[in-house]
Amino acid sequence: MKKPELLVTPTKIEDIEPLMKAGADAFVIGEQRYGLRLAGEFDREAVKAAIAIAHREGKKVYVAMNAIFHNEKVDELGDYLRFLDEAGADAVLFGDPAVLMAAREAAPNMPLHWNTETTATNWFTCNYWGQKGAKRAVLAREINMDAIVETKENAEVEIEVQVHGMTAMFQSKRRLIGNYFNYQGRDMKIDDVEADGHLFLHDPERNTKYPIFEDENGTHIMSPNDICIIDELTEMVEAGVDSFKIDGILKEPEYITAVTKLYRKAIDLCAEDPDAYEEAKESLLEEAEKLQPENRMLDTGFFFKETVY
């Protein structure tokens, strides 16, 4: 049975080697000027170094260009794409069609992964962007298992699914937190994702805390829980889903490495010995739960939510 790629988000160059040893097949990196909600900041030199390290072990590096680009940045896209092409990036993630248009001229042979975060909800839309040049579609986190399987069965492009980590609930291009404090007359600096990340919105009615941060792309509010589907991989592996992603945003490198080891074991068992996976999956989930920070619960996200039309 085909094994899905295990895609991981490192926080820095030094993470690459440990993650490869832990079983990662590919990495998503980039810089916040062009990419959204990255686990770490990789400037051009870091991108080149990461690609060199990964390629020595036959691993892949995908670079995020999935931000929303206003006119002041559009002219930069061609230069950045040419740099990525020369550096040997294995693919570019995009959501804004401006990247697609720039790639046709600046890097026509660069593989493209369509990732708009929320609108890849059906196979027809995935195939549409495949016809426009995308090699892969990154499915929205808000669709359930049945929709994922149906999409893969009918897709003409590769399909990527997030299986672990927090997800984005809201983004505004405005710096909402900083503006709020300015309105109150409070001079308070809002640290971005490179800092400790310990800023939360608290909903006392639900007793829930939502991580929130600001960066160059605006304000981001994240899910209160982390997705974990390590014990429910069978349907997606049998359907042939191409890539499973672990999103490590706002997590420590040691955590990302430990989770990668668990999913490497789970994927190998599920693909090579399904019966052994069925026996081991509960213990794998228990191990994943032990890794969680105190303020982060695990849940199954939308995987088993009923679709309402």
Side-chain angles (χ1 to χ4, degrees):
M1 192 181 298
K2 170 188 167 184
K3 288 184 185 179
E5 167 191 83
L6 183 52
L7 178 62
V8 185
T9 58
T11 66
K12 56 186 181 302
I13 286 287
E14 290 77 13
D15 296 350
I16 304 289
E17 290 279 4
L19 286 170
M20 289 192 296
K21 292 178 181 177
D25 298 311
F27 306 94
V28 173
I29 62 173
E31 55 182 290
Q32 65 175 252
R33 184 162 184 81
Y34 304 107
L36 291 179
R37 292 178 288 275
L38 297 162
E41 181 78 357
F42 285 72
D43 62 17
R44 294 194 182 203
E45 290 304 313
V47 167
K48 288 194 291 187
I51 290 170
I53 294 168
H55 284 184
R56 283 201 297 266
E57 300 296 328
K59 310 299 183 181
K60 295 182 178 180
V61 174
Y62 310 139
V63 180
M65 293 184 68
N66 59 332
I68 301 169
F69 296 106
H70 289 191
N71 291 341
E72 70 272 10
K73 288 186 181 179
V74 168
D75 290 341
E76 302 176 21
L77 300 181
D79 178 67
Y80 194 63
L81 282 160
R82 280 188 286 271
F83 157 71
L84 296 178
D85 196 27
E86 293 171 2
D90 295 284
V92 163
L93 280 66
F94 81 100
D96 193 321
V99 177
L100 178 64
M101 301 301 292
R104 289 176 177 173
E105 181 176 337
N109 297 318
M110 175 66 71
L112 300 172
H113 294 177
W114 178 57
N115 179 18
T116 55
E117 298 282 338
T118 59
T119 61
T121 58
N122 60 81
W123 59 267
F124 185 88
T125 308
C126 295
N127 289 346
Y128 171 84
W129 286 102
Q131 292 162 10
K132 298 298 181 183
K135 177 186 177 185
R136 174 183 294 185
V138 181
L139 294 191
R141 284 70 165 171
E142 293 83 4
I143 62 175
N144 63 22
M145 186 73 77
D146 291 340
I148 291 170
V149 171
E150 179 186 5
T151 299
K152 177 55 191 173
E153 289 174 346
N154 293 279
E156 298 166 357
V157 294
E158 294 178 3
I159 295 298
E160 178 184 313
V161 175
Q162 182 180 331
V163 294
H164 196 95
M166 69 173 62
T167 60
M169 295 179 60
F170 171 86
Q171 180 194 354
S172 171
K173 286 285 286 184
R174 297 178 177 88
R175 298 181 73 86
L176 299 179
I177 310 171
N179 291 342
Y180 172 70
F181 285 125
N182 287 337
Y183 176 75
Q184 289 188 319
R186 297 165 62 186
D187 184 15
M188 178 176 283
K189 180 180 181 295
I190 305 303
D191 294 329
D192 62 21
V193 71
E194 293 180 306
D196 60 19
H198 297 308
L199 189 64
F200 298 91
L201 281 179
H202 184 214
D203 181 350
E205 185 176 338
R206 294 187 174 91
N207 192 29
T208 300
K209 293 183 178 180
Y210 303 90
I212 180 171
F213 63 88
E214 287 182 349
D215 63 9
E216 186 171 331
N217 294 294
T219 305
H220 310 263
I221 301 176
M222 309 302 289
S223 60
N225 298 331
D226 287 337
I227 294 171
C228 179
I229 206 75
I230 196 167
D231 59 330
E232 297 286 355
L233 300 178
T234 302
E235 282 189 74
M236 292 187 288
V237 172
E238 290 178 346
V241 169
D242 300 276
S243 183
F244 287 160
K245 181 183 180 182
I246 297 170
D247 197 320
I249 187 171
L250 301 183
K251 294 294 194 303
E252 296 297 323
E254 296 78 13
Y255 173 91
I256 302 170
T257 301
V259 169
T260 300
K261 287 180 182 178
L262 284 182
Y263 274 89
R264 178 77 276 156
K265 181 178 179 180
I267 291 169
D268 290 348
L269 280 176
C270 191
E272 297 171 1
D273 192 344
D275 291 336
Y277 172 71
E278 288 298 316
E279 293 179 4
K281 66 182 186 180
E282 291 300 326
S283 63
L284 289 168
L285 177 59
E286 290 174 2
E287 289 184 59
E289 289 173 338
K290 292 176 183 177
L291 295 173
Q292 286 301 108
E294 288 186 10
N295 64 333
R296 298 293 298 175
M297 302 293 291
L298 292 177
D299 65 25
T300 56
F302 287 83
F303 277 90
F304 301 107
K305 301 289 186 183
E306 183 179 354
T307 301
V308 178
Y309 296 97

